[in-house]
Amino acid sequence: FYALKVGSDEKNLLRLGCGWNKKTPILLEHYAKVYSIDDDREIIENLKRVTKDVSGLQVCLSTHGEIPFYDEFFDVIISPRGPLLERPTLFQECFRVLKTSGYLIATFTGERDLLEIKKAFGRGVNFFDGDYVESSNMKLEDFIRSVGGKMKTVMLKEFQYKEAYDSSTDLIGLLESFPIIGDFSSQNPQDFSALENYAAHNGSSEGIFVNRHVLFWVERRMG
């Protein structure tokens, strides 16, 4: 978590998207308040149910890519595998609500991310452009130019690694949190069977392994 490195109990953090996993509560320990926004009311309501006993978290609706906060409101903004690459206007909104010297931290899904799971299901969100990292770099450079060059790249790295999940239930949580498998449902017998088959072939005493591929980007607002 780079966000923990730059966090403090006096800062406000904005998370783009209302995903939730067991690592997310750590953010609440390092910030005064954490805000999550999403343009899907159903996802927002689900997050509210999951976090009904969690303090220090605010959930807001975003419409038409707008972030409903004042200029320079946030110290840190994170976009975990969100739509930032495909929505230039959202990047400009992030710039608007980010304080000078504040950080924008984003991860983007690579073309080989969770590829084996997608093969097991016979469907999924794939990229396969072959030049994913190069084309992403060009988009990110365009974003910075769009705000007059007032963002400085602190880090831009590509990572490939393995991730372990304790059980099929935890893996279901992953598939329900991110748009990995289109229309995934653990109640669908075919989906459940594909999940169990994957777990059987990729499980060990250390957990069920998945291969991850991400591009990690950190920007700092300079003016």
Side-chain angles (χ1 to χ4, degrees):
F1 263 140
Y2 195 93
L4 304 187
K5 179 180 177 180
V6 298
S8 79
D9 57 10
E10 297 178 348
K11 294 181 177 180
N12 290 327
L13 177 141
L14 172 66
R15 176 189 172 107
L16 303 182
C18 284
W20 186 262
N21 58 47
K22 59 185 179 183
K23 296 179 181 179
T24 309
I26 299 173
L27 292 171
L28 295 168
E29 300 173 7
H30 288 77
Y31 285 87
K33 189 167 289 186
V34 173
Y35 298 79
S36 284
I37 64 167
D38 208 292
D39 55 10
D40 189 315
R41 291 182 182 274
E42 185 175 341
I43 291 176
I44 288 175
E45 292 305 316
N46 181 64
L47 179 62
K48 288 181 178 179
R49 287 192 295 271
V50 172
T51 61
K52 61 182 179 180
D53 298 322
V54 176
S55 60
L57 176 69
Q58 297 289 326
V59 183
C60 305
L61 177 68
S62 171
T63 56
H64 307 298
E66 296 180 355
I67 299 177
F69 290 92
Y70 297 118
D71 294 357
E72 300 193 41
F73 186 87
F74 293 102
D75 301 277
V76 178
I77 300 174
I78 61 173
S79 176
R81 299 174 187 268
L84 201 57
L85 265 183
E86 307 305 324
R87 297 169 66 178
T89 55
L90 181 57
F91 173 79
Q92 292 170 5
E93 275 289 274
C94 288
F95 177 81
R96 179 183 65 79
V97 300
L98 186 64
K99 292 180 180 179
T100 300
S101 297
Y103 291 88
L104 170 61
I105 303 166
T107 53
F108 306 111
T109 303
E111 69 268 18
R112 292 182 292 279
D113 191 63
L114 299 169
L115 183 58
E116 290 76 16
I117 286 185
K118 297 167 188 175
K119 288 180 177 178
F121 278 80
R123 69 186 196 277
V125 177
N126 289 313
F127 296 93
F128 296 117
D129 292 331
D131 60 347
Y132 173 77
V133 174
E134 181 181 348
S135 62
S136 297
N137 286 347
M138 293 174 63
K139 286 185 179 180
L140 300 180
E141 289 172 1
D142 286 343
F143 286 173
I144 295 171
R145 281 193 290 269
S146 74
V147 294
K150 295 180 179 179
M151 297 286 277
K152 177 182 178 181
T153 300
V154 177
M155 185 182 299
L156 179 58
K157 291 186 177 180
E158 182 183 11
F159 293 98
Q160 295 187 58
Y161 58 95
K162 288 186 178 293
E163 198 170 65
Y165 288 80
D166 293 336
S167 66
S168 295
T169 300
D170 289 338
L171 200 54
I172 287 172
L174 169 69
L175 297 178
E176 289 179 338
S177 298
F178 297 101
I180 299 161
I181 306 297
D183 302 322
F184 169 79
S185 172
S186 59
Q187 305 303 312
N188 181 320
Q190 290 182 327
D191 282 0
F192 185 78
S193 177
L195 179 72
E196 290 298 302
N197 286 336
Y198 179 87
H201 286 90
N202 294 275
S204 71
S205 59
E206 298 178 353
I208 304 168
F209 285 93
V210 297
N211 292 317
R212 308 310 304 258
H213 179 206
V214 300
L215 192 65
F216 184 71
W217 187 48
V218 180
E219 291 289 310
R220 193 171 192 185
R221 177 169 173 170
M222 305 309 294

